[in-house]
Amino acid sequence: MSPDATPDPYTDPLVFGQRMQILRTRRGLTRIQLGGLVGRSGEWVKAVETGRLRVPKLEMILRVAEVLRVRDLSDLTGDQSMRVALFTGPGHPRFAAVREAVNSPHLAGDREAPPAAHFSARLARAWSARHSAPNHREVVGALLPDLIRDAQAAVRHAGTIADRKAAQARLAEVYFLAQFFCAYQPDASLVWRVAERGMMAAQDSEDPHAIGLAAWLTVQAHRDSAHLDAADAVTLETLRYLEALLPDAGPDVRAVAGALTVEAGLTAARRGETGTAWRYWDEARGLAEGLPAGYFHPVTSFSRAVIGAHAVTVAVELHAGPESARQAARAEAEAIPSRPRRARHRIEQARGYHLDAQPDAALATLAQAYAAAPETVQYNGYAKRIVLEETESKSPARRRRASELAQRIGLLTT
């Protein structure tokens, strides 16, 4: 390796501080920014990176790992005995079949296209199963391979331009479902392939609803990869496109605009821009209040019931401890009809309580998340960080509760 080359924290035997510096640089964060996000100063970050301070305790290591979106804890620590996947799961048993269906070109034209109404009904049932099944990844993973192949066949066999556009919209929706399944699986590049194919199919459909959804999912992929400028560019351009249509749009398009407005606020919160983040959330609340009572978007979950959950996430992303706890206490989870979305909300509430130094409330809330949708907790890095941290608690009772939950979600073996 050239003496001027950047060391690779994944292969070279580096100490903790060097690994943290490399990973921080790759995320595009300054020392001051990283310090602020973990509750320390830029000078503290510099002292750790240069070795003037010792390796932090597990609590701080996990906090740094969360901010840097470290997928495996050993990538940061260098200690192979600490191999804990945080932002990727162990790989779902259905993942290989879904990946094969996504990657295969399906060039043969001998697959018969299903009737459009029949396929739409199957797709609707798949979304319903995603929201209602506690093991939603298992159910969706079993359905996706055939849905992908049949949706592609429908595009190939479309007889008219109108039929082809409608088929492209259905194919885009299948890719949206696939992106939910592929998230947090051990193949980050597949998430991007699915997102890009969903966007291409949506654009070919010329359907505003599909285009908005494709942008919504692409924004999340950008933000999870720390591409905040790209996330903003997609969000704002798509919102400009949708805003011209809103006066005559139905609730689905208005809900997607609301979901994208939330994403703009979350990206601002990730940057630490408090006023901008809450301004976008307030705009989204206005859009939610304009939706019919009881309405719930089948893909984004945007609704009146979820807008309070978004407030929790904004406060948590801003690392505002007391405000996070206040929003967590206010936001009612039981009104959210989707099991995985309800579980995700519980995880965000737990993050808020943990930020506010209420670890017992955080663990109790994570237990509620697990009861709603175990697979959501098993594949969520924030939940795993909190549980791991509390397995080192000085309180024997809390340590026991955290260890029991860690065993249930697969972090510890019995």
Side-chain angles (χ1 to χ4, degrees):
M1 184 175 71
S2 165
D4 296 326
T6 301
D8 190 336
Y10 301 98
T11 59
D12 296 333
L14 305 175
V15 298
F16 177 87
Q18 292 172 306
R19 288 171 175 270
M20 187 170 85
Q21 182 176 7
I22 293 166
L23 292 165
R24 171 183 61 78
T25 303
R26 289 183 178 182
R27 285 295 177 192
L29 294 173
T30 66
R31 285 170 170 163
I32 292 174
Q33 288 172 326
L34 176 58
L37 290 171
V38 300
R40 294 290 189 271
S41 66
E43 283 301 312
W44 178 87
V45 174
K46 181 179 180 180
V48 172
E49 291 181 348
T50 57
R52 288 192 290 109
L53 284 180
R54 296 171 59 186
V55 176
K57 293 182 179 179
L58 179 62
E59 175 184 356
M60 182 54 69
I61 290 174
L62 290 167
R63 199 176 300 172
V64 171
E66 176 183 330
V67 171
L68 297 179
R69 298 289 290 185
V70 172
R71 293 186 175 274
D72 191 308
L73 200 56
S74 64
D75 294 338
L76 179 60
T77 65
D79 181 354
Q80 296 303 302
S81 68
M82 297 184 71
R83 293 196 65 83
V84 177
L86 289 175
F87 288 93
T88 54
H92 194 277
R94 300 281 185 182
F95 180 63
V98 173
R99 178 167 54 189
E100 193 278 331
V102 170
N103 287 338
S104 175
H106 304 300
L107 297 178
D110 55 354
R111 190 179 184 93
E112 186 176 347
H118 179 258
F119 183 83
S120 295
R122 286 168 55 199
L123 187 54
R125 284 197 298 272
W127 281 112
S128 177
R130 182 188 179 271
H131 289 301
S132 61
N135 59 333
H136 53 93
R137 283 182 182 270
E138 171 64 24
V139 175
V140 170
L143 297 173
L144 270 172
D146 280 339
L147 285 172
I148 291 169
R149 296 184 181 103
D150 285 347
Q152 291 175 335
V155 171
R156 284 197 304 271
H157 294 294
T160 67
I161 292 177
D163 287 344
R164 184 177 179 84
K165 288 182 178 180
Q168 289 282 19
R170 290 191 294 272
L171 176 60
E173 193 172 341
V174 171
Y175 282 132
F176 303 155
L177 186 64
Q179 189 169 340
F180 278 104
F181 177 85
C182 293
Y184 309 121
Q185 295 297 302
D187 188 348
S189 64
L190 187 68
V191 174
W192 281 106
R193 285 199 295 282
V194 171
E196 288 167 356
R197 291 181 189 183
M199 178 62 81
M200 290 172 60
Q203 289 176 334
D204 287 344
S205 77
E206 299 183 4
D207 181 338
H209 181 246
I211 291 169
L213 284 176
W216 180 74
L217 286 162
T218 301
V219 166
Q220 294 178 43
H222 277 307
R223 193 170 57 248
D224 283 346
S225 301
H227 302 151
L228 302 188
D229 289 343
D232 272 339
V234 174
T235 306
L236 298 179
E237 181 177 352
T238 310
L239 280 174
R240 282 193 293 270
Y241 163 72
L242 292 177
E243 281 168 359
L245 307 175
L246 290 184
D248 300 315
D252 284 350
V253 172
R254 287 186 281 131
V256 171
L260 277 166
T261 305
V262 169
E263 294 303 317
L266 294 178
T267 304
R270 185 71 62 88
R271 283 198 178 97
E273 299 170 351
T274 302
T276 302
W278 286 113
R279 175 173 60 80
Y280 278 123
W281 177 83
D282 199 50
E283 290 177 10
R285 181 179 60 178
L287 287 165
E289 290 173 350
L291 294 171
Y295 174 88
F296 189 83
H297 191 274
V299 178
T300 68
S301 298
F302 190 79
S303 58
R304 297 183 190 183
V306 168
I307 197 65
H310 289 309
V312 179
T313 305
V314 169
V316 168
E317 290 290 345
L318 288 167
H319 289 260
E323 180 63 17
S324 297
R326 188 178 75 85
Q327 293 292 348
R330 289 180 58 188
E332 177 52 56
E334 296 309 318
I336 300 173
S338 166
R339 276 181 175 267
R341 187 61 185 87
R342 190 159 67 245
R344 176 61 190 272
H345 174 46
R346 290 295 192 195
I347 292 169
E348 296 298 289
Q349 287 179 308
R351 291 177 71 195
Y353 290 131
H354 206 250
L355 272 173
D356 198 43
Q358 299 184 46
D360 290 313
L363 284 175
T365 307
L366 285 178
Q368 292 177 312
Y370 185 86
E375 289 184 334
T376 298
V377 179
Q378 289 166 345
Y379 290 90
N380 187 280
Y382 300 117
K384 288 188 279 191
R385 180 184 74 83
I386 293 170
V387 172
L388 275 176
E389 187 174 319
E390 293 310 321
T391 60
E392 299 283 320
S393 171
K394 294 180 180 179
S395 164
R398 188 182 308 139
R399 190 165 61 245
R400 183 179 64 254
R401 287 196 300 273
S403 297
E404 289 171 353
L405 187 53
Q407 290 174 1
R408 291 163 70 188
I409 66 178
L411 282 173
L412 300 177
T413 57
T414 54

